[in-house]
Amino acid sequence: MLTVTNVTKKYKNFLANDNVSFSINDGEVGVLLGPNGAGKSTIIKSINGLLRYSGTIEINGIDNRSIEAKRQIGYVPEIPALYDTLTVAEHLEFIRRAYKVEDVKRADELLERFELLDKKKKMGKELSKGMQQKVSLCCALVHDPSVVIFDEPMVGLDPHAIKELKLLFSELKAEGKTVLISTHMIDTVEDYWDVANIMMGGRIAATKHNHSENSDEKSLDELFFEITEGTTKEA
Ligand code: ADP
């Protein structure tokens, strides 16, 4: 479970996150939507303990900055940050050892899923952008985290990887994990979200639950465009 309570983040005098609160339960896929500059990456970085902020963020009830919480988080950043001179296999081995993961097969299973097994000996700097993104995905999952956070995960992936990633979202959900996906591309998340938070100007402008029993509610698409453009999108 991920709980974000009253998080405010300023870059000098600029308010990038203004009293942001939301939560995602176990077994739920939460999406964070919003146009560029809405403050999505800022809250994602705060959740991952990469920024100073005011407010509270808890991972399964534990402060996100503790080592215990960090063990439970998997983070796929928007821009992959691989080591130039470590091979693909070494990246995964590094993470495996850092997290003291006993299961040595998991890394290969992940590499196979994302069609990287034949790239095991390639160095970070020898990989295409899409391959780097896939290695970054594998690194975020090798320690079997219970809360997995994806920042713009589809950007730069090939169709096979997008299909695998969507399958992975539903598997994580079925395993009772907590998933948070940040994106500005609303059509990429249509199939599998449970709760959507729409950000605008550093704030959560609306929260919508999928499978809502109220059929009069606006669709996610309508709500998104109403908030971000001030009007309902024409059909
Ligand atoms: P999003 O991910 O929704 O596109 P960001 O969280 O990256 O939005 O950015 C929110 C706002 O904060 C933007 O106006 C951006 O220019 C600003 N911002 C982001 N990072 C910094 C930074 N390191 N220093 C100053 N301003 C920043």
Side-chain angles (χ1 to χ4, degrees):
M1 167 139 193
L2 168 68
T3 319
V4 175
T5 315
N6 304 127
V7 169
T8 293
K9 169 68 192 174
K10 273 187 184 171
Y11 296 111
K12 300 224 168 90
N13 289 327
F14 182 78
L15 193 56
N17 280 169
D18 183 8
N19 212 25
V20 171
S21 298
F22 66 89
S23 62
I24 306 167
N25 292 321
D26 295 346
E28 275 187 357
V29 175
V31 295
L32 202 55
L33 295 165
N36 290 324
K40 304 180 299 296
S41 289
T42 300
I43 191 66
I44 295 262
K45 284 181 193 153
S46 296
I47 292 168
N48 285 288
L50 301 175
L51 294 175
R52 290 201 190 138
Y53 56 87
S54 67
T56 314
I57 302 176
E58 288 180 337
I59 306 296
N60 300 323
I62 309 165
D63 186 285
N64 69 324
R65 287 163 292 198
S66 66
I67 297 277
E68 207 182 333
K70 286 185 178 166
R71 276 210 185 97
Q72 297 178 38
I73 303 181
Y75 171 44
V76 185
E78 184 176 3
I79 298 162
L82 301 191
Y83 295 98
D84 276 353
T85 53
L86 284 190
T87 65
V88 169
E90 284 165 349
H91 274 89
L92 288 158
E93 183 61 7
F94 178 57
I95 309 276
R96 188 185 74 78
R97 290 199 204 180
Y99 284 94
K100 299 187 172 65
V101 178
E102 309 252 315
D103 183 354
V104 285
K105 284 186 297 182
R106 190 170 162 85
D108 275 359
E109 285 162 10
L110 286 164
L111 291 177
E112 187 172 11
R113 269 194 98 146
F114 288 100
E115 298 183 313
L116 286 170
L117 265 185
D118 60 336
K119 305 284 180 309
K120 272 173 93 170
K121 292 187 179 156
K122 288 245 181 231
M123 285 193 278
K125 65 177 178 189
E126 295 175 317
L127 301 173
S128 71
K129 181 109 195 309
M131 284 175 201
Q132 291 186 14
Q133 180 74 355
K134 294 196 288 184
V135 174
S136 180
L137 274 166
C138 295
C139 286
L141 294 165
V142 78
H143 58 295
D144 196 20
S146 60
V147 176
V148 197
I149 297 158
F150 300 86
D151 195 355
E152 300 285 359
M154 307 294 187
V155 177
L157 290 183
D158 58 31
H160 174 86
I162 290 178
K163 193 169 137 236
E164 245 355 282
L165 189 58
K166 287 186 173 177
L167 198 62
L168 192 86
F169 293 149
S170 51
E171 284 172 16
L172 291 169
K173 184 173 148 74
E175 288 167 12
K177 306 283 171 67
T178 303
V179 179
L180 174 62
I181 305 161
S182 161
T183 184
H184 65 283
M185 297 189 294
I186 191 166
D187 49 341
T188 62
V189 296
E190 255 164 20
D191 312 335
Y192 45 78
W193 60 281
D194 294 293
V195 55
N197 285 291
I198 302 174
M199 284 192 87
M200 188 72 191
R203 297 182 175 199
I204 302 286
T207 300
K208 181 174 167 61
H209 292 267
N210 207 355
H211 321 297
S212 167
E213 305 210 331
N214 181 358
S215 56
D216 295 339
E217 266 186 27
K218 294 184 180 96
S219 70
L220 186 57
D221 217 36
E222 285 169 335
L223 193 62
F224 180 85
F225 286 106
E226 190 175 286
I227 289 166
T228 57
E229 292 175 0
T231 57
T232 308
K233 193 187 162 201
E234 306 263 322

